[in-house]
Amino acid sequence: MPLVSIIMNCHNGSKYLREALDSIYSQSFKDFEIVFWDNFSTDDSAEIAVSYGEKVKYYRGEEFLTLGAARNKALEKAQGKYIAFLDCDDIWMPLKLEKQVHLMEENPIVEFIYTNFYMMEPKKGKSKIVLPKYQPSGDVFAAFLKKFPVGLLTAFVRKNSMDKLQHHFDPTLKLTSEYDLFMRLAYKGYVEYIGEPLAYYRVHENMSSLCLRQEWPGELSYVLEKLIHFDDAIKNDMKREIAQQQNYIEFIKAKNKMLDGDLRSARDLLTPCKMQSVKAFLLYTGTFIPLPIWLWLKPVWERGTFR
């Protein structure tokens, strides 16, 4: 059996799929399988996937599923000791798996590893580091509750750690199923961070985080309530962190309102929390911009990914 199972979920992802698969086959670490779950694609994703040989275990769903549900189907097929994830529009650096396998094998108490990564904007022809400051390791749950830094494309998880959870990905979630999963894993044990960027996250107009931006606040609120009731200690001992996450959710709601041109509603949402962060204050200040000028500036704001 392979040491690592790489979960790839695909729905009409042929545009960037070859780049993603090539980045897997370019890994210095070779003991892996690719569990490719075709989520009812209608393009040539299937032909591309199977052309990459026997390391690709291709499966096709009989109906379109939410991303969380599709990832659960793929996980059922995984045989590896460790699980990694790569979506069809993202890319890994060649040493990504090698560094994570080595660290995981040397540290048996680690539940999962995450790394820094680049955000790639092809239209601009440039990339930037997503996590400019060093991120936490160890008992990270409280820190993650304030600010969640894990990119799914960088995560490397013990399969038996996932199997100890009550469930894997929440199938009701379209955007935040990985946040829900890794927060539950973080609460259970030790997490390790690699500061070196080992992957590229691609920004494009068809990203779910942009197409479904109106659903972000509701899903974040749902996951936060789920975590609060996960253990009484969270509700009792992490009130400050919970409040910060609630303020962030209001910030996302306000940003959505601004993108819709409803500056007054955005201002009302931001008023209670405008002094909680520099971003909140700047967004609040922006609600006083005359609407014609705001509409002219809107394309700049629409490039946000709401991570």
Side-chain angles (χ1 to χ4, degrees), residues 27-307:
Q27 292 295 300
S28 57
F29 180 85
K30 302 296 185 182
D31 187 10
F32 62 78
E33 66 172 355
I34 301 170
V35 181
F36 191 96
W37 187 268
D38 185 346
N39 195 10
F40 216 62
S41 294
T42 55
D43 63 2
D44 58 347
S45 296
E47 290 79 5
I48 294 171
V50 298
S51 73
Y52 274 76
E54 62 182 15
K55 279 186 177 290
V56 178
K57 308 300 192 295
Y58 176 85
Y59 303 93
R60 178 178 171 84
E62 296 180 356
E63 60 180 349
F64 179 78
L65 301 173
T66 63
L67 190 52
R71 285 181 176 143
N72 286 339
K73 290 288 187 181
L75 283 168
E76 290 174 7
K77 307 295 185 180
Q79 301 182 66
K81 178 181 179 182
Y82 303 120
I83 304 293
F85 303 89
L86 186 67
D87 287 338
C88 296
D89 46 4
D90 298 327
I91 298 171
W92 281 347
M93 303 288 277
L95 295 177
K96 194 261 188 189
L97 289 182
E98 179 183 333
K99 288 177 178 289
Q100 291 182 307
V101 168
H102 176 75
L103 185 58
M104 193 74 93
E105 294 279 280
E106 292 292 315
N107 296 275
I109 65 169
V110 172
E111 301 286 335
F112 73 88
I113 300 167
Y114 69 109
T115 83
N116 208 338
F117 59 106
Y118 293 104
M119 183 177 290
M120 179 171 52
E121 299 183 78
K123 285 188 176 181
K124 291 184 177 181
K126 65 179 184 180
S127 301
K128 64 178 181 180
I129 289 179
V130 174
L131 303 170
K133 296 180 180 179
Y134 203 81
Q135 300 300 311
S137 292
D139 183 4
V140 300
F141 183 84
F144 280 13
L145 198 56
K146 290 190 292 184
K147 186 175 182 180
F148 184 70
V150 180
L152 180 71
L153 72 167
T154 77
F156 191 81
V157 193
R158 292 188 191 276
K159 189 174 187 298
N160 64 4
S161 295
M162 294 184 67
D163 291 343
K164 290 175 185 176
L165 297 173
Q166 194 171 42
H167 61 277
H168 293 153
F169 291 98
D170 188 327
T172 67
L173 298 171
K174 299 176 183 177
L175 295 167
T176 58
S177 59
E178 62 265 29
Y179 170 58
D180 169 64
L181 172 69
F182 291 119
M183 288 300 289
R184 288 182 285 122
L185 281 169
Y187 192 70
K188 292 293 187 181
Y190 194 90
V191 176
E192 190 62 66
Y193 173 65
I194 298 175
E196 179 184 353
L198 293 176
Y200 283 89
Y201 175 78
R202 190 190 305 270
V203 177
H204 57 87
E205 63 276 5
N206 295 321
M207 294 168 56
S208 296
S209 55
L210 293 178
C211 298
L212 302 174
R213 62 178 175 84
Q214 296 289 354
E215 300 190 38
W216 266 105
E219 288 203 5
L220 287 171
S221 295
Y222 167 82
V223 174
L224 181 60
E225 285 299 311
K226 187 176 176 180
L227 293 173
I228 289 172
H229 293 95
F230 190 57
D231 190 320
D232 288 341
I234 298 173
K235 184 176 182 179
N236 297 330
D237 300 339
M238 301 183 187
K239 293 179 180 179
R240 181 180 177 184
E241 290 82 1
I242 291 169
Q244 286 182 285
Q245 180 67 354
Q246 289 169 334
N247 286 335
Y248 176 69
I249 292 169
E250 294 303 298
F251 175 85
I252 296 297
K253 289 179 182 178
K255 194 169 183 180
N256 277 334
K257 291 293 184 183
M258 292 190 76
L259 288 172
D260 293 337
D262 188 354
L263 303 188
R264 184 177 295 275
S265 294
R267 189 182 311 145
D268 291 341
L269 287 166
L270 289 164
T271 298
C273 58
K274 63 185 178 184
M275 303 307 293
Q276 297 297 317
S277 70
V278 173
K279 285 185 178 180
F281 181 76
L282 291 175
L283 197 66
Y284 175 78
T285 303
T287 64
F288 292 95
I289 297 173
L291 185 58
I293 297 176
W294 171 252
L295 293 175
W296 180 71
L297 292 170
K298 182 180 175 183
V300 178
W301 286 77
E302 284 181 320
R303 298 190 189 110
T305 63
F306 293 90
R307 283 193 70 257

Side-chain angles (χ1 to χ4, degrees), residues 2-17:
L3 191 64
V4 179
S5 293
I6 301 165
I7 304 299
M8 292 193 79
N9 284 96
C10 180
H11 175 68
N12 294 338
S14 62
K15 184 175 182 179
Y16 305 113
L17 179 55

